[in-house]
Amino acid sequence: MIALLPELSVNFVASAPVSLDPLRLFLDADIVVKIVMAGLLLASVWSWAIIVSFITRMGRLKHASRQFEDKFWDAADVDRFMSERRSKATPSARVADMAVKEWRRSMSSESGAVGSRDPQAMRERIGIAMNSQVAVEADALADRLNFLATTGSVAPFVGLFGTVWGIMNSFFQIGIQENSSLAVVAPGISEALFATAIGLFAAIPAVIAYNRFSHEVNRFEARLGRFADAVHASLTRQLERR
């Protein structure tokens, strides 16, 4: 029997895992830790879906807005140009459309209100209409970015909750088995720490993407604001000629 001990020891070492198996850690975890891990993985998948969608959308909007603005400034008659363009699919087009609509309402002969032809009042109304539309466009772009901010700030704490729960369960197993060896404690602690790792895996890309995309939204909003100012100046020059 003594002679068999070295052979058993060799077999045990040979069958021991040589690397971490994330799937095995998930399957062996406590039900609470499993729920935490699954929730964090879903949040990570949704975050990446938002990231890919935002990158694609911003690239498309920038290209379309640039094309619209070039055609807009090449048009000899802005009012006619906007009337002929039925599609208002880009933010720049919607900002310009708000300006032209307010221009038409202000210049309409059907408006008999006192001061409706006041040039200063017309300038202010056109400017307010365009600034409001710029804000609407920026809000629409930043709408789903709140999820990235929430994931980036909450995911580490959710993962920490799973870790704390897993460690508590490990200590509970120590009390039941009355054995404090690493063979009893290590599996539970590994599963618990894996929850924190998943939390960081979900949070880090979300935080980086949120900061980057917020900067992109601010830049695009500033670009729309400059375009709105230029449209406003163009329309007010036409007011002065009337």
Side-chain angles (χ1 to χ4, degrees), residues 19 41 54-55 63 86-88 118 129-130 132 151-152 156 166 175-176 186 194 197 206 212 214 223 232:
S19 62
L41 286 174
F54 185 89
I55 293 173
H63 178 70
R86 296 180 180 179
S87 176
K88 305 295 187 297
D118 180 9
M130 286 192 297
S132 298
T151 301
I176 292 178
F194 188 51
R212 178 60 184 173
S214 296
R223 176 179 174 175
H232 186 267

Side-chain angles (χ1 to χ4, degrees), residues 41-43 46 56 63 65 70 72 77 81 95 97 113 141 148 150 155 174 186-187 190 197 204-205 221 227-229:
L41 286 174
L42 288 176
W46 185 243
T56 304
H63 178 70
S65 294
D70 292 340
F72 180 87
D77 189 336
F81 172 78
V95 169
D97 186 55
L141 284 174
L148 295 179
T150 302
I174 290 175
S190 298
I204 292 173
E221 184 180 9
F227 175 69
D229 291 340

Side-chain angles (χ1 to χ4, degrees), residues 83-154:
S83 299
E84 294 173 351
R85 290 183 65 87
R86 296 180 180 179
S87 176
K88 305 295 187 297
T90 64
S92 296
R94 288 189 287 268
V95 169
D97 186 55
M98 287 297 296
V100 173
K101 283 181 178 178
E102 183 58 39
W103 163 271
R104 290 170 182 167
R105 284 193 292 265
S106 298
M107 296 298 295
S108 175
S109 59
E110 297 178 2
S111 177
V114 177
S116 61
R117 289 298 184 90
D118 180 9
Q120 183 60 32
M122 292 172 65
R123 292 189 187 96
E124 292 179 0
R125 287 194 297 268
I126 293 172
I128 292 172
M130 286 192 297
N131 290 336
S132 298
Q133 188 62 35
V134 169
V136 168
E137 298 297 335
D139 289 341
L141 284 174
D143 184 32
R144 291 194 297 172
L145 297 186
N146 289 332
F147 184 83
L148 295 179
T150 302
T151 301
S153 59
V154 173

Side-chain angles (χ1 to χ4, degrees), residues 5-234:
L5 288 178
E7 182 179 354
L8 291 175
S9 177
V10 171
N11 291 336
F12 175 77
V13 172
S15 61
V18 295
S19 62
L20 288 176
D21 186 354
L23 181 60
R24 177 54 55 188
L25 288 175
F26 174 79
L27 294 176
D28 292 342
D30 180 78
I31 183 62
V32 175
V33 181
K34 282 183 179 178
I35 294 174
V36 170
M37 290 180 182
L40 291 172
L41 286 174
L42 288 176
S44 178
V45 170
W46 185 243
S47 296
W48 278 106
I50 293 175
I51 291 170
V52 174
S53 174
F54 185 89
I55 293 173
T56 304
R57 184 183 181 190
M58 279 300 297
R60 186 176 64 252
L61 287 179
K62 286 180 179 179
H63 178 70
S65 294
R66 191 179 302 111
Q67 285 187 330
F68 171 82
E69 291 171 17
D70 292 340
K71 294 178 181 177
F72 180 87
W73 295 122
D74 290 339
D77 189 336
V78 172
D79 196 1
R80 179 180 299 177
F81 172 78
M82 295 302 299
S83 299
E84 294 173 351
R85 290 183 65 87
R86 296 180 180 179
S87 176
K88 305 295 187 297
T90 64
S92 296
R94 288 189 287 268
V95 169
D97 186 55
M98 287 297 296
V100 173
K101 283 181 178 178
E102 183 58 39
W103 163 271
R104 290 170 182 167
R105 284 193 292 265
S106 298
M107 296 298 295
S108 175
S109 59
E110 297 178 2
S111 177
V114 177
S116 61
R117 289 298 184 90
D118 180 9
Q120 183 60 32
M122 292 172 65
R123 292 189 187 96
E124 292 179 0
R125 287 194 297 268
I126 293 172
I128 292 172
M130 286 192 297
N131 290 336
S132 298
Q133 188 62 35
V134 169
V136 168
E137 298 297 335
D139 289 341
L141 284 174
D143 184 32
R144 291 194 297 172
L145 297 186
N146 289 332
F147 184 83
L148 295 179
T150 302
T151 301
S153 59
V154 173
F157 295 100
V158 175
L160 183 61
F161 169 76
T163 298
V164 171
W165 184 272
I167 292 174
M168 289 171 57
N169 187 54
S170 296
F171 280 110
F172 181 73
Q173 294 300 324
I174 290 175
I176 292 178
Q177 300 182 27
E178 297 181 355
N179 186 354
S180 60
S181 66
L182 287 177
V184 176
V185 180
I189 294 180
S190 298
E191 297 156 8
L193 293 175
F194 188 51
T196 297
I198 295 178
L200 295 175
F201 176 78
I204 292 173
V207 171
I208 294 173
Y210 176 77
N211 292 334
R212 178 60 184 173
F213 293 164
S214 296
H215 178 66
E216 287 292 324
V217 170
N218 291 335
R219 288 182 59 187
F220 193 73
E221 184 180 9
R223 176 179 174 175
L224 285 179
R226 291 191 295 269
F227 175 69
D229 291 340
V231 174
H232 186 267
S234 177

